[in-house]
Amino acid sequence: MPFPEHQNRWTVFLRLLLLIPQYIVLAVLSIVAVITAIVGWFAALVLGRLPSPIRGFLTGFLRYDTRVNASMMLLTDRYPPFRLGEVPGYPVRIDIAPVHLNRLAVFFRILLMIPAMIIQAIVSAGWWSVAFISWLVVLIMGRMPEPLFEATSAILRYRMRLGAYSLMLASSYPKRLFGDAPEAAWSATPAPAAAPAQAGKGPDEITAGSTSVAARSATRPLRVGTAGKVLIGVFIVLGLGSVAANSANWSMDDDDGWSRSSTFR
């Protein structure tokens, strides 16, 4: 994904309305993806890998989902294409290499996902709690401030990695919510699509279009500065507060329901 770009304020203002067709398509694709993933789970238990047709569709679904959410989170002003495959020149790209899957990890995949799902739910709840403020900032400035861009990109990348792991497109566990280490080295030349993958290799970064563009990518590697890391920490704290508040509300509703039931009796 390229560095923060200027965004049309009208498309920012109407972003959620403009994305309604995308979310309708995404809802249909999600149903198909769940069914495909179930079939793929049985196949992976037997073969130790996903069959190519299943892997191809699930990769396309994850690519589509990431593009739509990148637009919704105001990381790019380019409208997501209605395509599962790669679109030359589109600023949001993901690269996922075929991997060998550990059958035991596949069998317990749902249980293994729980810690990462909790982290994702908390940080996403925190991001959404200030989403209106972020929207106002981008609307007024016409672009996303770099710390907010870094933090939002890190959250989207973690979500993408969790999706790849849950769909058995990756064997490596979701990690690096706070960005890549300073010493992380990346090649500007992407590996050929047909090249065999090493066991344990996970999905690549959210990356920009071509070889020349990838060299200028802001997310490959994803370097999150101090301000960006502080924002991620704030999102986590806000998310924990949101979860705690919702739990308290549910507890109060249950108590009220029990009291009314007891009174009625």
Side-chain angles (χ1 to χ4, degrees):
M1 193 182 309
F3 287 90
E5 57 187 9
H6 175 77
Q7 300 198 36
N8 185 299
R9 290 180 174 84
W10 275 111
T11 61
V12 172
F13 182 73
L14 300 172
R15 184 63 51 94
L16 292 181
L17 289 176
L18 294 173
L19 288 176
I20 288 176
Q22 294 284 355
Y23 277 111
I24 294 174
V25 174
L26 192 58
V28 175
L29 289 175
S30 297
I31 296 172
V32 180
V34 169
I35 298 172
T36 305
I38 293 173
V39 176
W41 182 81
F42 286 103
L45 280 178
V46 176
L47 302 174
R49 61 178 176 82
L50 285 178
S52 295
I54 292 178
R55 186 181 67 82
F57 173 76
L58 292 178
T59 299
F61 166 74
L62 184 61
R63 182 181 294 121
Y64 195 102
D65 177 84
T66 302
R67 287 173 183 160
V68 172
N69 280 282
S71 178
M72 181 272 297
M73 298 173 83
L74 304 177
L75 289 171
T76 180
D77 198 37
R78 295 276 300 276
Y79 195 76
F82 288 95
R83 289 177 56 182
L84 298 182
E86 287 289 3
V87 177
Y90 192 75
V92 180
R93 292 184 60 184
I94 64 172
D95 297 324
I96 302 179
V99 295
H100 176 75
L101 298 169
N102 183 298
R103 291 178 175 85
L104 192 61
V106 170
F107 185 78
F108 291 106
R109 185 58 53 114
I110 294 179
L111 290 177
L112 293 173
M113 287 164 45
I114 292 176
M117 291 176 65
I118 292 174
I119 293 173
Q120 172 63 23
I122 290 172
V123 73
S124 294
W127 186 89
W128 275 106
S129 66
V130 295
F132 180 74
I133 297 175
S134 301
W135 176 77
L136 279 180
V137 169
V138 178
L139 185 64
I140 293 171
M141 296 182 60
R143 59 183 293 274
M144 181 174 283
E146 189 168 342
L148 181 59
F149 174 85
E150 293 172 348
T152 304
S153 296
I155 293 171
L156 178 61
R157 186 180 72 163
Y158 191 86
R159 184 183 189 277
M160 181 270 293
R161 288 181 167 179
L162 175 59
Y165 185 78
S166 63
L167 294 173
M168 294 163 293
L169 294 169
S171 57
S172 57
Y173 204 73
K175 57 186 177 180
R176 295 177 181 168
L177 175 60
F178 286 87
D180 295 315
E183 64 272 13
W186 295 84
S187 170
T189 304
Q198 297 177 352
K201 184 176 180 182
D204 204 345
E205 308 305 316
I206 303 174
T207 178
S210 62
T211 300
S212 59
V213 177
R216 301 194 302 273
S217 173
T219 56
R220 190 186 186 196
L222 177 57
R223 304 285 174 79
V224 180
T226 302
K229 291 178 180 178
V230 169
L231 273 179
I232 295 174
V234 170
F235 293 152
I236 292 174
V237 172
L238 291 174
L240 288 171
S242 176
V243 170
N246 288 333
S247 298
N249 288 335
W250 292 335
S251 177
M252 291 176 62
D253 290 341
D254 289 342
D255 290 343
D256 290 343
W258 183 86
S259 298
R260 286 193 296 268
S261 176
S262 299
T263 303
F264 177 76
R265 290 177 184 174

